[in-house]
Structures are given as C-alpha cells and as structure tokens.
Amino acid sequence: MRALSLALLLACGAALAQPKVTVVDRETFEGDELGAPEGYTHRMQLAIVMLENARWTRQRAMLALLQAQPILGQCGVALDRVEFHVVEVPASYLDFSTPAARELARAYPVARPTVYLVRDTRSRPAFDAEAIGRGNSGTRPEIADTVWMTAAVRDPGVAFAHELAHVLMDSGEHSGEAGNLMRDETSARNKSLSAAQCARLRDTGRANGLLK
Ligand SMILES: [Zn+2]
C-alpha cells in the first residue's frame, strides 16, 4: 500500500515538467513611486512576471500598473511594493495554458498575487486576460491568486485592475452597471467600483492574505 502511494506520488510529480527560466531583469518599486492614493486603508504587494519575447514592453507593463493604481485606490487599496521580473522561458511557455502556467509557476516561484504578461492563450474560448482565484484553482493550486494577460489585451491598465479585482474578490462575477470596472468588456470608460464590491474586495483580499 505504501509502495503504491509512493509510486502515485512520483507519477504526479513527473507530470509537471521543469522549464528553464532565466532571469533577465528584476526590479522592485515601492509605494511612493507607484502613486499610492491618499488615505488608503489596505496595502497590497504584487509581483509582475513579464515573459521575454511575449510582445510586451516594459513601458506598456509599467503604464498598465500605474493606471491600475487609482482604480484600485477607489477601494482604499494601495500598491505597496511591486516586484517586477523579466524572464526568458522556452517558446512553448509563451502562451497561456493551464499546464504551462502550472509548470512555470512551480519553476519560478514569486510573491502572490502575481500578474503574468504572456503572448497569447491556448484556452478556448480564448480570453485576452484570465484571473485565477481560490475558487477556480482547486485542480491547479500552483496558480491560485494569479492573473494572465496576453499582449492582445485592450486597455491594459483597466484589464489589470479588473483581473486583480477578480482575484482579490475571489469571484468571477461580472456587473451590468454602467461604467463599472467589472463589466465583462474591458473599456477605458469602465473603471468604477461600488461600495459593496470594494467591501468584498477588501474583506476577501485580507482574509486570503493578499492585502494587509
Ligand atoms: Zn472579468
């Protein structure tokens, strides 16, 4: 019985390949460089992992981050510390798929929540961005509390805030309210969050250890 369990364990371990991840650049930004909102009540530390050759630029990534801050600031959430990683991975890891994402997350552990900037997605239906909270990560625990944004995403700053809000709220729910960040289509016009959404984002985010 024991031998069998061990064999199963080994079989499970072998299912995940270990991609070679090479760090190209790593930088840390602190709250005051990120435009923390006045009177914030909650702080978030975040990691961004940008894949080399995924058609993202550092500039576009930083702009998305700086645009997301005031959107999340509506809920009193300040980005406190952001670790920015640029990594080179084998070409088969440039596009999102659950197996590739799990392997990458395991091979290169970083702080959570994490926003991965990838080239494209192999998921069908294909979403420009995906959020994986606790509720939809049962069979893929390595990628709980992560966001995956493809280079095709429109309004990256709004998408960044939208997907992070899914993770913080641990909810895939969308809103039908005009101008709401959580409408299912990402648009520069949709940036507001209701008091109830903010309360859920703060409470769930804190309970899950993603906010302090
Ligand atoms: Zn959404």
Side-chain angles (χ1 to χ4, degrees), residues 25-29 33 48 58 62 82-86:
D25 193 18
R26 195 155 63 187
E27 207 174 333
T28 302
F29 300 94
E33 299 173 89
I48 298 177
R58 211 191 160 78
M62 285 310 293
V82 175
E83 281 172 34
F84 190 85
H85 306 250
V86 184

Side-chain angles (χ1 to χ4, degrees), residues 18-200:
Q18 275 278 346
K20 183 169 184 284
V21 179
T22 309
V23 180
V24 176
D25 193 18
R26 195 155 63 187
E27 207 174 333
T28 302
F29 300 94
E30 305 289 344
D32 46 357
E33 299 173 89
L34 299 163
E38 291 269 324
Y40 62 83
T41 54
H42 290 63
R43 290 178 295 130
M44 173 163 60
Q45 299 195 346
L46 182 74
I48 298 177
V49 177
M50 184 174 98
L51 305 185
E52 266 291 78
N53 303 316
R55 300 190 197 118
W56 277 93
T57 61
R58 211 191 160 78
Q59 195 182 18
R60 188 164 183 245
M62 285 310 293
L63 191 61
L65 178 68
L66 293 173
Q67 288 173 344
Q69 169 61 91
I71 301 176
L72 295 169
Q74 295 174 82
C75 298
V77 172
L79 292 167
D80 181 35
R81 188 187 173 87
V82 175
E83 281 172 34
F84 190 85
H85 306 250
V86 184
V87 300
E88 199 175 293
V89 295
S92 56
Y93 290 84
L94 288 175
D95 301 329
F96 175 80
S97 72
T98 289
R102 292 177 65 192
E103 289 169 8
L104 177 59
R106 189 180 276 203
Y108 189 69
V110 292
R112 296 286 187 247
T114 313
V115 177
Y116 289 88
L117 305 176
V118 299
R119 184 177 63 186
D120 202 346
T121 181
R122 280 180 260 157
S123 296
R124 293 295 176 268
F127 296 107
D128 287 344
E130 275 193 54
I132 298 150
R134 303 287 168 97
N136 59 348
S137 63
T139 57
R140 41 183 182 168
E142 300 86 355
I143 52 172
D145 305 322
T146 65
V147 166
W148 301 77
M149 296 213 302
T150 72
V153 77
R154 289 194 317 175
D155 300 304
V158 180
F160 197 109
H162 174 108
E163 301 301 334
L164 266 179
H166 276 311
V167 166
L168 292 171
M169 290 192 247
D170 191 20
S171 161
E173 262 172 54
H174 285 127
S175 163
E177 203 180 300
N180 195 279
L181 178 69
M182 303 315 287
R183 286 182 71 85
D184 56 6
E185 84 278 24
T186 302
S187 152
R189 290 186 307 273
N190 302 338
K191 290 186 188 167
S192 64
L193 286 156
S194 70
Q197 285 173 319
C198 281
R200 175 163 185 178

